């Protein structure tokens, strides 16, 4: 089973779907953000069994990181092998444009630097080791395939590869914060994914992540623009179909690799 995870409408491509509202799952958090529904959707994408989250949980909603990541462990227990995480992000790399898709090559766990980590506390050995490595967090074969699929679909001009970071939010970043992040090698910034990926790697799920660049980060005090949630939602809608097609194809391709490996 592959997992496919998205805040929004990708889950609508799933065939023979059965869904379970989060409120009906014991101890599951519930989503509080506008534009984020709240249910687990089970079904098939091109014959591959998937479970999608329609709506996910963010730290800024008030949940501790471990609780934001509880669905990842539920997926592991359901037999999921692969986590595909998508997110909206601000583009810090000056060559990125609004609407670009960034394959996540790596992340910088800024919240982790401050001691906030989903694995903080006693380790549950049933899921994974106390000190999990993160040097191969984002599967190399998946990233390579994603670039090939981007060519096949003629979207290589909007597909990038870069480093993502997650901040706690809910406010967007200051100019000084963004300039600092740029200096340390961050290409895109958002408010999700990093802790979910850490939890997934801890329990040995394969991971692929994709950021939709919904806005250009403001790194100058002279700029007039300001980041806003409406723009994030608008760009999400604009790229909905491309994203849906791209990720659906990736699910099939990743499944082929996973089935071939022991
Ligand atoms: N910053 C943080 N999170 C985001 C942004 C941003 O600019 N855009 C979309 N999510």
């Amino acid at each position: 089973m592959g997992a496919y995870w998205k805040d929004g409408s990708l889950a609508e491509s799933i065939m023979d779907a059965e869904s379970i509202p989060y409120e009906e799952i014991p101890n599951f958090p519930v989503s509080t953000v506008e534009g984020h529904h709240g249910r687990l959707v089970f079904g098939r994408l091109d014959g591959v069994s998937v479970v999608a989250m329609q709506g996910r949980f963010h730290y800024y909603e008030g949940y501790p990181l471990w609780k934001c990541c509880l669905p990842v462990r539920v997926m592991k227990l359901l037999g999921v092998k692969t986590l595909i995480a998508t997110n909206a992000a601000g583009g810090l790399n000056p060559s990125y444009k609004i609407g670009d898709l960034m394959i996540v090559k790596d992340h910088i766990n800024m919240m982790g630097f401050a001691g906030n980590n989903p694995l903080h506390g006693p380790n549950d050995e049933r899921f994974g080791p106390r000190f999990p490595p993160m040097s191969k967090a984002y599967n190399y074969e998946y990233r390579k395939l994603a670039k090939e699929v981007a060519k096949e679909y003629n979207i290589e001009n909007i597909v990038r590869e870069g480093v993502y970071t997650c901040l706690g939010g809910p406010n967007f970043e200051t100019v000084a914060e963004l300039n600092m992040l740029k200096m340390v090698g961050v290409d895109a910034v958002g408010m999700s994914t990093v802790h979910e990926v850490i939890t997934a790697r801890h329990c040995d799920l394969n991971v692929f992540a994709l950021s939709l660049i919904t806005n250009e980060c403001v790194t100058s005090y002279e700029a007039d623009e300001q980041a806003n949630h409406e723009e994030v939602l608008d760009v999400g809608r604009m790229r909905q179909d491309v994203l849906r097609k791209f990720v659906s194809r990736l699910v099939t391709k990743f499944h082929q690799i996973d089935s071939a490996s022991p």
Side-chain angles (χ1 to χ4, degrees):
M1 184 187 270
Y4 167 89
W5 157 312
K6 165 70 183 154
D7 352 52
S9 64
L10 288 171
E12 286 160 20
S13 321
I14 296 176
M15 307 298 291
D16 306 323
E18 298 259 357
S19 57
I20 307 178
Y22 294 155
E23 306 89 82
E24 291 178 18
I25 306 173
N27 301 316
F28 221 70
V30 287
S31 188
T32 61
V33 189
E34 188 202 336
H36 295 232
H37 303 275
R39 53 195 187 152
L40 275 186
V41 183
F42 296 82
R44 287 175 182 277
L45 268 178
D46 281 337
V48 181
S49 295
V50 292
V51 52
M53 290 193 72
Q54 211 168 17
R56 54 129 70 89
F57 310 108
H58 303 83
Y59 186 69
Y60 57 75
E61 294 175 79
Y63 300 113
L65 285 183
W66 67 266
K67 190 137 191 172
C68 294
C69 301
L70 184 138
V72 174
R73 287 189 166 177
V74 169
M75 287 181 178
K76 173 72 183 180
L77 294 173
L78 286 168
V80 161
K81 297 280 185 275
T82 297
L83 177 74
I84 299 181
T86 62
N87 60 54
L92 253 183
N93 185 316
S95 73
Y96 289 4
K97 297 196 175 52
I98 292 175
D100 281 354
L101 299 176
M102 185 188 85
I103 296 167
V104 180
K105 177 169 69 178
D106 205 349
H107 70 227
I108 295 180
N109 181 12
M110 294 302 290
M111 295 168 76
F113 286 179
N116 197 357
N117 188 300
L119 305 178
H120 183 88
N123 184 50
D124 190 336
E125 294 285 334
R126 292 171 302 177
F127 286 97
R130 172 75 286 188
F131 301 109
M134 284 295 142
S135 47
K136 293 188 177 172
Y138 298 85
N139 187 288
Y140 176 76
E141 295 300 323
Y142 289 174
R143 289 191 281 120
K144 207 165 103 188
L145 259 179
K147 284 176 260 183
E148 286 168 22
V149 170
K151 281 207 180 101
E152 183 191 323
Y153 280 12
N154 273 325
I155 54 168
E156 73 262 41
N157 58 327
I158 62 160
V159 173
R160 319 288 187 149
E161 190 173 39
V163 174
Y164 175 86
T165 198
C166 164
L167 300 180
N171 59 283
F172 291 107
E173 304 73 33
T174 66
V175 170
E177 286 163 350
L178 289 167
N179 279 313
M180 184 201 82
L181 294 173
K182 201 165 151 187
M183 240 184 301
V184 298
V186 171
D187 295 298
V189 53
M191 301 178 195
S192 68
T193 305
V194 167
H195 37 281
E196 291 146 340
V197 170
I198 290 170
T199 306
R201 292 302 298 146
H202 177 249
C203 64
D204 204 26
L205 295 183
N206 297 322
V207 169
F208 178 79
L210 194 64
S211 295
L212 170 63
I213 305 299
T214 53
N215 55 290
E216 283 174 17
C217 290
V218 178
T219 52
S220 144
Y221 292 102
E222 280 76 51
D224 285 335
E225 320 84 74
Q226 295 209 59
N228 68 84
H229 189 54
E230 274 318 303
E231 185 179 22
V232 172
L233 294 178
D234 282 349
V235 178
R237 282 188 282 267
M238 172 185 102
R239 279 286 186 245
Q240 187 167 294
D241 289 345
V242 174
L243 208 49
R244 189 184 285 165
K245 258 183 76 184
F246 187 47
V247 177
S248 302
R249 182 78 176 144
L250 292 181
V251 167
T252 318
K253 290 282 197 178
F254 294 171
H255 184 64
Q256 283 167 1
I257 309 189
D258 295 343
S259 314
S261 62

